Amino acid sequence: VTPHAAAAAPRGRQRPRRSPAAMKRPAEAAAGEDEAPADSLELTKRARRKFDRLSPAAQASFRLKHEIMSCHRTNDPPAALAAYDKALSAGVEVDPSVFPSLLTLLSGLGDAPGDVSGAERVLGDARARGVRLNEAAYSSLVRACARAGGSGALDRGLALLGDMKADGLVPRLRSYSSLVRALGEAGRPGQAFA
């Protein structure tokens, strides 16, 4: 036996891996879709202990944050917006860190089109709660407006750049690039440098 093969050989008896669905306790397996069991979060043991010590309100907020992150990984804006709306209707306190992630997802990742109306609604909610957005969230919104095209969307993108500066944030190249291109294609290149 070569040293490499010996290192790869299993030591002792190994337990077979079970799927997350098979590991659920009977009560959790019978839980309805309205109540996501804590085990569906796929947490480490340490994180599970911390989660179990949270208040029910904090657990609901954590679940929302986890679901938004999951939708971000799978690039599923409609599911993220649905989870956000469901949490709001249930009275869940939204963690401020959810807003930038949700706005980035709703603005469209890669070449995917964004949901500008959904992003505008979430932006309004974030502002109503006093959440200060970061440059990446604003840049994502500007990109969504540029992709939407049309005079109104481009004007909204320019206004968002102004809002970003008013909030004390410094726009980066990514903040401008898609809007400059869209303004040029719309025959309004002079506004790109105003």
Side-chain angles (χ1 to χ4, degrees):
V1 176
T2 65
H4 179 58
R11 294 183 182 182
R13 183 174 166 247
Q14 295 205 356
R15 294 178 14 195
R17 293 188 150 242
R18 297 184 336 188
S19 70
M23 288 190 259
K24 289 184 180 178
R25 289 176 235 135
E28 292 167 346
E33 288 185 23
D34 291 342
E35 284 187 38
D39 282 348
S40 68
L41 296 177
E42 299 179 17
L43 301 173
T44 62
K45 287 182 183 179
R46 183 177 180 190
R48 169 75 49 214
R49 286 192 300 270
K50 285 184 176 182
F51 178 83
D52 290 341
R53 287 192 300 253
L54 294 175
S55 68
Q59 285 182 355
S61 180
F62 182 85
R63 278 192 183 101
L64 172 64
K65 186 175 180 178
H66 187 271
E67 193 163 350
I68 298 295
M69 289 188 311
S70 176
C71 291
H72 211 285
R73 282 190 295 271
T74 59
N75 194 14
D76 192 357
L81 192 57
Y84 173 76
D85 289 339
K86 182 179 176 182
L88 285 184
S89 67
V92 172
E93 182 64 33
V94 180
D95 186 81
S97 66
V98 166
F99 289 105
S101 180
L102 185 56
L103 286 169
T104 301
L105 179 60
L106 291 173
S107 297
L109 298 174
D111 293 330
D115 179 0
V116 178
S117 63
E120 286 283 342
R121 188 166 50 83
V122 172
L123 174 64
D125 289 349
R127 287 182 172 163
R129 297 176 196 288
V131 175
R132 187 171 186 268
L133 298 175
N134 57 18
E135 176 272 332
Y138 273 111
S139 296
S140 296
L141 289 167
V142 170
R143 183 180 66 241
C145 291
R147 285 182 180 173
S151 181
L154 295 178
D155 290 338
R156 182 65 184 131
L158 289 168
L160 284 167
L161 279 175
D163 292 349
M164 182 190 304
K165 292 174 186 175
D167 283 351
L169 299 170
V170 178
R172 296 173 53 185
L173 178 61
R174 67 180 175 185
S175 308
Y176 291 108
S177 61
S178 57
L179 189 60
V180 168
R181 184 176 54 249
L183 286 167
E185 290 172 357
R188 299 167 51 182
Q191 287 183 315
F193 303 103

